[in-house]
Amino acid sequence: MPEPTPSPVPDWLCWLPPRLVALDVEATGLSAGDRMVSVGAVALATASLAAGRPEIVCHHLVVDPGRTSHPAALAVHGYDDWLLRHQDPAALHLPALAQVLAGADLVVAHNAAFDLGLLNREMALAGLPPVAPRVYCTMEAYRRRGEKGRAALDAVCRRIGLARSGARHGALEDAWLALRAYLWLQACPVAVARPELAAPSNLRPVPPRPEGPLPPRG
């Protein structure tokens, strides 16, 4: 019997990188002195999209930033200082995270300058070299399309029919939303299902919170 003819590669798959990682970082605030609180990454083998069964691997971490979060940032990520001061320092997990990003042909982020800038500040504080992957910013790409209105992640998600599962910004879910925005911008017709939004894999148990004001850090 003749060999079956292989299915043609879809046009949209030809311009996708073999392996991409979508990234999101949550922080104590927006200034140059702020620190990382949590990070989410969703790695996708794009060839799996052609079969309609996307293969993703998720990474989700929470770290002690060494300082309290600005109230506005706390309202976004939801990790209070009592929980964070009982977590690992970022430096403990940065080498493994750098390996995840180094294995990507493309790193995708919404407002990539903020996410990669913050991550590389953490790398420098840990005495590690910066990560320098090829980067695609979905926020900038959305603006280049000439779409009307704001280019914040929430606005882009509304445009493509997506929403967060809750009011807070989880790093893993936001990484997945950035991935979905990237695939939409690339005219990819295959949807990647929302991953299980479990707690960070390295989350440490926290002792009972003391009554009254928290004791000083350290």
Side-chain angles (χ1 to χ4, degrees):
M1 292 182 62
E3 292 291 329
T5 303
S7 301
V9 177
D11 289 343
W12 50 264
L13 186 59
C14 295
W15 56 74
L16 296 182
R19 185 174 185 272
L20 63 86
V21 175
L23 178 76
D24 183 76
V25 177
E26 299 296 330
T28 58
L30 299 176
S31 73
D34 279 298
R35 302 289 304 276
M36 184 169 73
V37 167
S38 65
V39 58
V42 181
L44 169 68
T46 57
S48 66
L49 293 167
R53 295 185 297 274
E55 297 173 6
I56 62 170
V57 178
C58 296
H59 307 269
H60 190 198
L61 301 170
V62 63
V63 297
D64 177 13
R67 56 168 295 177
T68 58
S69 294
H70 186 281
L74 174 58
V76 169
H77 60 66
Y79 292 115
D80 69 11
D81 187 52
W82 183 246
L83 181 145
L84 290 175
R85 66 173 65 186
H86 290 93
Q87 304 308 311
D88 298 327
L92 190 64
H93 298 280
L94 288 176
L97 180 60
Q99 284 190 342
V100 171
L101 299 179
D105 299 294
L106 183 69
V107 171
V108 172
H110 201 79
N111 194 3
F114 174 81
D115 290 311
L116 271 297
L118 180 61
L119 180 58
N120 278 330
R121 288 205 305 273
E122 294 290 343
M123 290 286 184
L125 289 169
L128 297 170
V131 293
R134 182 174 163 231
V135 177
Y136 183 102
C137 179
T138 49
M139 183 174 73
E140 295 301 327
Y142 186 80
R143 286 173 174 160
R144 287 195 299 270
R145 279 175 59 99
E147 297 284 345
K148 296 180 180 178
R150 298 173 63 242
L153 185 55
D154 281 349
V156 175
C157 288
R158 284 193 295 271
R159 171 70 177 80
I160 63 180
L162 293 173
R164 287 190 179 86
S165 58
R168 292 227 165 99
H169 292 222
L172 179 60
E173 185 173 34
D174 278 13
W176 171 77
L177 290 171
L179 173 64
R180 291 293 303 270
Y182 169 79
L183 294 175
W184 177 77
L185 287 162
Q186 302 304 314
C188 171
V190 180
V192 177
R194 193 187 310 260
E196 180 186 357
L197 300 177
S201 59
N202 67 327
L203 182 67
R204 290 180 175 275
V206 178
R209 186 186 178 97
E211 294 290 337
L214 294 181
R217 273 179 161 270

